[in-house]
């Protein structure tokens, strides 16, 4: 999509890509037409979920509930749900909860919340991998009986040694050719809790010498005496992800199982497993197919869950929704928008080649959308007094500022003017550098939406800091009156009436990392944290902002986009977070 496309327009998967071409080809070949959606009796319907309605294609977003979703997941969510929308199909939200130890309800809730916030709806298709544990167990028994799996009692070290390396083939271990009945008996004992964690595993029997190491009899079940967040203590053996995932897809009649590139070498196992189960009558054809795409890598960001958990646990950030964190909860609190994310997903597209996306691309998407939706307000972030010496004391008048310059329908609001104002400290210079068109003694500027004023001087404290700037106004030059054009000035600054403005906490967020590739070259990524990733200030805000509700986004003129913090604001006392500056300040 062109960079100029209107961000408000629907942007989900509006661009063609290799995945869409693949799906188009499948649809025109009628690949999934034969499928009797949900109507077929048998194992394809063993799951406890809602019946599947007719849908041309089915995709899924399968997070493991062991952390909060991050910006990379947003790419995957927009892709999978976007494809379902485009093809009038369905996208499932499936929690891949096959690992009992690290999973928690808090994560399940936060993931649902984030997907909905991004603007997507899984309807009746919300599932858990743990719903299929019975089926997976039966599938494992079938594989054993059919000679496609065996219980291996080698130690972990022996197994590793016999598995070979990338350059050497593996060697069969002593249990590989044991009779199926013996493996089955052992597997049942595993299930009954008769063996300790790690004592033995169930392995698929494929090809121990395969050049693809993933086919060298991969482990499919292990003993883990742990309490699961949903099934409690019902199981003490758990399927491995590589075994569970294809089965989950097949049971939900997913057509296109889209995953990141590191699973490419797993695809032969995916196809092997589903093929064997279909041959055995445990699954109906056509089977789902795996398609890989390049994951999102963003400069200045760490996206691995392990690193995010470390940042939260070690309190380098204030929590999962810290506005500096690349979680969706953090981005939301930062003031980023779902539309901005969908625009981003569309702009970066999907490809087969790994690459890095500049963080500024994401920021540009947020700017583009925020520019469209955010009303304008005035804030003075680093205030210094400006006194209009020829303006009568006690007098005040209304100036009118448009709420959105490109959208006159949003109207104007009153900004009161009086004798004493707040202006930005940087808008005054006692000695003006070359090219400085703002306030300096003898120079005139326009007070935006007000009058032209001429600077007459300043007061300073003992340390030499400017405490008050003085000026005089030209009464005939008020904006919006016929006299406004009579005096031409080069500078135009924002201001607030000191008697009317309100002091408020504002947090100026910047990037969490100062290096484009945090932790590159094996360096501890914590060393790359940006020490200036947040600066908390007391700013002066225009009076109308006192009533702004949590989550409301504004453009503070000349500064950037800000949102009312959802965590720390109180009625009448909003706290603001900076989402993004008006321009990229990181360009070298
Ligand atoms: P980890 O950070 O430990 O690698 P994960 O991010 O892969 O974990 P999952 O819960 O397994 O965590 O991810 C859910 C889905 O999101 C998967 O389908 C995965 O491919 C996709 N996904 C994860 N990270 C990215 C990324 N950076 N870009 C695109 N998709 C991603
Ligand atoms: Mg993963």
């Amino acid at each position: 999509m062109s960079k100029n496309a209107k961000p408000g327009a629907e942007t989900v998967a509006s661009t063609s890509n290799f995945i869409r071409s693949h799906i188009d080809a499948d649809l025109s070949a009628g690949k999934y037409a034969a499928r009797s959606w949900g109507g077929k009796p048998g194992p394809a319907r063993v799951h406890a979920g809602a019946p599947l309605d007719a849908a041309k294609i089915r995709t899924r977003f399968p997070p493991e509930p062991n952390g909060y979703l991050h910006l990379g997941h947003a790419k995957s969510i927009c892709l999978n749900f976007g494809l379902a929308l485009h093809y009038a199909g369905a996208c499932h939200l499936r929690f891949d909860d096959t690992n009992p130890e690290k999973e928690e309800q808090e994560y399940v809730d936060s993931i649902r919340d984030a997907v909905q916030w991004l603007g997507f709806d899984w309807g009746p298709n919300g599932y858990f991998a743990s719903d299929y544990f019975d089926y997976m167990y039966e599938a494992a028994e079938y594989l054993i009986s059919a000679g496609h799996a065996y219980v291996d009692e080698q130690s972990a070290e022996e197994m590793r040694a016999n598995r070979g390396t990338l350059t050497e083939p593996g060697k069969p271990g002593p249990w590989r050719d044991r009779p199926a009945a013996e493996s089955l008996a052992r597997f049942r004992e595993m299930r009954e809790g008769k063996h300790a964690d790690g004592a033995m595993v169930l392995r698929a029997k494929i090809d121990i010498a395969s050049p693809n190491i993933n086919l060298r009899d991969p482990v499919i079940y292990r003993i883990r005496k742990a309490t699961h967040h949903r099934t409690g203590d019902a199981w003490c053996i758990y399927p491995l992800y590589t075994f569970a995932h294809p089965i989950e897809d097949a049971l939900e009649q997913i057509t296109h199982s889209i995953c990141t590139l590191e699973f490419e070498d797993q695809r032969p196992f995916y196809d092997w497993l589903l093929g064997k189960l279909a041959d055995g009558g445990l699954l109906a054809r056509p089977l789902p197919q795996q398609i890989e795409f390049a994951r999102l890598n963003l400069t200045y960001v760490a996206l691995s869950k392990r690193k995010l958990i470390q940042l939260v646990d070690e309190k380098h950030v204030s929590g999962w929704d810290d506005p500096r964190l690349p979680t969706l909860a953090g981005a939301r609190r930062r003031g980023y928008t779902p539309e901005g994310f969908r625009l981003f997903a569309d702009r970066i597209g999907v490809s087969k080649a790994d690459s890095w996306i500049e963080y500024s691309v994401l920021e540009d998407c947020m700017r583009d959308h925020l520019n469209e939706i955010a009303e304008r307000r005035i804030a003075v972030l680093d205030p210094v007094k400006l006194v209009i010496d020829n303006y009568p004391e006690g007098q005040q008048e209304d100036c009118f500022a448009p709420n959105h310059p490109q959208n006159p329908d949003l109207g104007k609001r009153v900004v009161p003017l009086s004798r004493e104002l707040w202006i930005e400290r940087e808008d005054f210079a006692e000695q003006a550098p070359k090219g400085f068109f703002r306030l300096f003694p003898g120079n005139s500027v326009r007070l935006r939406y007000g009058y032209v004023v001429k600077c007459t001087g300043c007061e300073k404290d003992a340390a030499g800091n400017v405490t008050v700037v003085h000026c005089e106004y030209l009464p005939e030059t008020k904006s919006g009156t016929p006299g406004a054009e009579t005096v031409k000035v080069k500078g135009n600054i924002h201001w607030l009436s000191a008697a009317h403005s309100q002091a408020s906490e504002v947090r100026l967020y910047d990037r969490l990392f100062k290096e484009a590739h945090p932790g590159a070259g094996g360096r501890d990524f914590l060393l790359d944290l940006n020490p200036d990733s947040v600066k908390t200030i007391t700013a002066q805000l225009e009076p109308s902002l006192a009533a702004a509700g949590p989550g409301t986004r504004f453009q503070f003129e000349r500064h950037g986009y800000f949102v009312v913090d959802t965590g720390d604001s109180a009625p009448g006392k909003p706290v603001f977070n900076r989402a993004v500056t008006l321009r990229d300040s990181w360009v070298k």
Side-chain angles (χ1 to χ4, degrees), residues 56-133:
K56 273 197 200 161
I57 66 156
R58 273 174 197 282
T59 56
R60 84 286 171 269
F61 175 64
E64 190 183 342
N66 63 350
Y68 277 59
L69 295 186
H70 55 58
L71 307 183
H73 296 118
K75 173 176 178 175
S76 177
I77 293 167
C78 290
L79 175 62
N80 281 294
F81 281 91
L83 287 167
L85 281 173
H86 179 79
Y87 289 99
C91 181
H92 298 192
L93 174 64
R94 180 204 309 141
F95 290 100
D96 223 318
D97 58 348
T98 49
N99 182 354
E101 276 128 340
K102 296 185 193 151
E103 295 157 359
E104 286 176 28
Q105 188 61 35
E106 178 196 350
Y107 297 136
V108 170
D109 296 339
S110 76
I111 289 169
R112 286 188 176 129
D113 194 46
V115 174
Q116 281 170 335
W117 178 72
L118 278 177
F120 299 109
D121 180 7
W122 54 92
N125 296 306
Y127 303 106
F128 285 88
S130 53
D131 291 339
Y132 315 134
F133 280 172

Side-chain angles (χ1 to χ4, degrees), residues 205-216:
K205 189 172 177 179
I206 309 178
D207 179 3
I208 199 71
S210 171
N212 181 346
I213 209 157
N214 297 294
L215 293 180
R216 293 181 194 168

Side-chain angles (χ1 to χ4, degrees), residues 115 149 162 174 203 214 303 507 583:
V115 174
N162 285 333
R203 297 176 75 173
N214 297 294
L303 284 184
R507 296 148 178 179
R583 270 169 293 278

Side-chain angles (χ1 to χ4, degrees), residues 75 107 117 178 209 263 327 335 425-426:
K75 173 176 178 175
Y107 297 136
W117 178 72
R178 74 197 308 182
F263 291 100
T327 53
R425 186 167 287 279
E426 63 167 30

Side-chain angles (χ1 to χ4, degrees), residues 397-521:
E397 67 186 281
D398 291 344
C399 296
F400 296 91
N403 287 323
H404 197 294
Q406 284 98 52
N407 187 354
D409 291 349
L410 290 175
K412 293 188 172 197
R413 66 192 188 285
V414 169
V415 182
L417 178 105
S418 64
R419 189 169 190 266
E420 291 197 10
L421 310 178
W422 293 115
I423 60 167
E424 298 291 345
R425 186 167 287 279
E426 63 167 30
D427 284 342
F428 171 76
E430 209 181 356
Q431 247 107 51
K434 204 164 175 284
F436 187 83
F437 298 119
R438 289 165 281 167
L439 283 173
F440 56 90
N443 193 43
S444 297
V445 299
R446 174 167 296 281
L447 298 177
R448 187 174 252 189
Y449 316 123
Y451 295 95
V452 172
V453 296
K454 180 172 186 175
C455 183
T456 53
C458 69
E459 293 171 40
K460 291 196 274 192
D461 63 14
N465 301 309
V466 174
T467 52
V468 181
V469 179
H470 288 276
C471 69
E472 290 180 349
Y473 82 122
L474 306 178
E476 71 285 3
T477 60
K478 190 171 183 184
S479 290
T481 67
E485 299 305 316
T486 54
V487 181
K488 296 269 185 252
V489 290
K490 282 191 172 160
N492 182 322
I493 66 171
H494 65 272
W495 52 273
L496 286 171
S497 164
H500 299 86
S501 67
Q502 128 154 353
S504 193
E505 179 177 328
V506 173
R507 296 148 178 179
L508 304 177
Y509 289 109
D510 203 342
R511 297 181 184 177
L512 185 56
F513 291 96
K514 60 183 191 299
E515 294 297 328
H517 302 281

Side-chain angles (χ1 to χ4, degrees), residues 510-559:
D510 203 342
R511 297 181 184 177
L512 185 56
F513 291 96
K514 60 183 191 299
E515 294 297 328
H517 302 281
R523 186 173 60 234
D524 178 1
F525 80 115
L526 295 175
L527 297 175
D528 294 336
L529 280 168
N530 175 7
D532 303 315
S533 59
V534 60
K535 190 172 156 204
T536 302
I537 60 167
T538 302
Q540 294 291 335
L541 305 185
E542 72 173 83
S544 69
L545 285 170
T552 318
R553 303 172 182 97
F554 297 98
Q555 183 195 97
F556 289 172
E557 291 190 21
R558 296 174 68 207
H559 289 304

